[in-house]
Amino acid sequence: MFKDSFKYYKSRDPPPDLDAVIDLKNPDLSKVRKISPVAIEEEQSSLGLRSTEDWNIYEIIAKPGLIFIENPFTSAGQRYWITRCVKDYSKKPNKTNLDLHQVLSENENWWDVCSDNVERAKVLLPKLRWATLGYHHNWDTKVYSENFKGEMPDDMVDLTEYLARISGLCHFKAESAIINYYRMNSTLSGHTDKSEIDYEAPLFSVSFGQTGIFLVGGLSLEDSADALLLRSGDVVVMSKGSRLRYHGVPKILQADSMPWKNQNSTNDCKSKKMCIDWDKIMSYISESRVNMNVRQVLRPGQVSLDDKVL
Ligand SMILES: O=C(O)CCC(=O)C(=O)O
C-alpha cells in the first residue's frame, strides 16, 4: 500500500534500505524499456539540453505512460534552470506559500532578501516551499480559476513542449506550474493531480539539486508503489494510464554528483554580480531540491475555463 511504502522510505531511524529503489543510471531491463527519442530537426541548445542522440528515455513496464528521461541537460543548462527556479520563478507576481505568512513586505522578494541579508536568510531560506505560475493551484479548493492566473514563462513553455515532442506525446501546452522547494528534511505526501480538465495531456516533473525518492503507486492508495531515484536534471512524465497515479516524495538524499557544477563547462556568469549570485544559489542548492511541475489545464482548442468547448 502507498502509505506503508511512504512511511518506510520516510523513516530516519532506521533509515530505509534503498535496494528496491529503481535507479535508472543502472536500469533493470526487466522492469523498464528503453524508448528512442523522436527525431526532430531543430536542436534546442537554447533550452540547456544535450543533443537528443545522447538521451536515455525509459518507460516503467508495469506502469505504461510513466516515462523517465535521465538528465537531458548540459551543466550550463542545469545552472540556468536552477537559477530560474530559485531566483526568478519565486518572485512576485507569482504566488508563494510565503504570501500567507507575511514574512516579506509587499515590495520584497524572497531571493533578493535572502541574498542581501544574512540574518534574514537564515530564517527565510528554509521557509519557501512552493511557488505557482500560470493558472495558480488553489491549495484549498483544488479548482483553477480565470481570476487567479498569471503569466507562464516562455522558456518553461518551450522546454516542456520540446520534451513532449521528443517523448512522442503529441500535444502539450504548459498552462500551470508548481515549483516545489525541498530542504533535506522535506517530504511531499501522496496525492494525484486531477484539477486539470484535460487528463489526456501529460504532466512534466523536472528536478534539480539534491536527490529525491519519488514514490509512484496506482490509481488507488490501496495499490502498491514503486520508488524511483530522481537526480538533478531527471524528468518524469506522467502520461496516459499513468497521468492520475498517486505519487509523492518521502525522502530527500544527499546528491552523489553535482552535474550543475561541472568543472569543464565554461563559466557562464557574465559579471561579478552574477558570479556572486551563482555562488549563493549553489550554496542554497547544496542543501535543497527544486522541482518544476508543469501541467496543461485546458483541452486543445479551449481558450479559457469559461469556454465550454468539448
Ligand atoms: O517533487 C516532485 O518530484 C513531485 C512534485 C509533485 O508531485 C507535485 O508538485 O504535484
Side-chain angles (χ1 to χ4, degrees), residues 137-150:
H137 182 73
N138 184 321
W139 299 88
D140 299 322
T141 65
K142 313 262 188 273
V143 177
Y144 293 116
S145 154
E146 286 300 325
N147 303 325
F148 193 45
K149 181 181 156 185

Side-chain angles (χ1 to χ4, degrees), residues 157 160-161 171-176 201 295-298 302:
V157 173
T160 47
E161 193 205 313
H171 70 85
F172 182 77
K173 186 161 173 253
E175 292 166 329
S176 172
R295 301 110 190 261
Q296 175 173 323
V297 172
L298 305 174
Q302 203 179 6

